[in-house]
């Protein structure tokens, strides 16, 4: 179980890093694009962060 959870953490971390690089390379240049990204990128980041925290808390317990 520990190996599975730590593997999931690795995948989540890599995904978040890739998304951050992509976002930095294609940063929005106007309000419409920024608001669009809030609806997609930001929501996905929040989900991944919550999952990461749940896994870490599971490992702690």
């Amino acid at each position: 179980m520990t190996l599975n959870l730590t593997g999931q953490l690795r995948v989540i971390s890599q995904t978040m890093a890739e998304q951050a690089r992509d976002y930095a390379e294609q940063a929005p240049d106007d309000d419409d694009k920024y608001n669009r990204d809030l609806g997609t990128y930001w929501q996905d980041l929040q989900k991944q962060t919550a999952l990461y925290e749940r896994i870490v808390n599971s490992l702690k317990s």
Side-chain angles (χ1 to χ4, degrees):
M1 184 170 146
T2 301
L3 288 175
N4 182 2
L5 292 175
T6 55
Q8 288 181 41
L9 288 177
R10 183 182 55 82
V11 170
I12 293 168
S13 297
Q14 287 177 333
T15 301
M16 290 170 68
E18 288 173 16
Q19 287 178 327
R21 276 192 300 273
D22 291 345
Y23 188 78
E25 290 174 1
Q26 302 169 4
D29 55 4
D30 63 29
D31 287 341
D32 289 335
K33 291 177 185 174
Y34 176 76
N35 289 326
R36 176 203 63 208
D37 290 348
L38 284 177
T40 54
Y41 173 76
W42 179 250
Q43 288 177 357
D44 189 48
L45 181 61
Q46 292 298 311
K47 288 178 187 175
Q48 289 182 41
T49 302
L51 178 57
Y52 193 95
E53 289 176 3
R54 283 196 307 269
I55 293 170
V56 168
N57 289 332
S58 177
L59 288 169
K60 286 181 183 178
S61 60

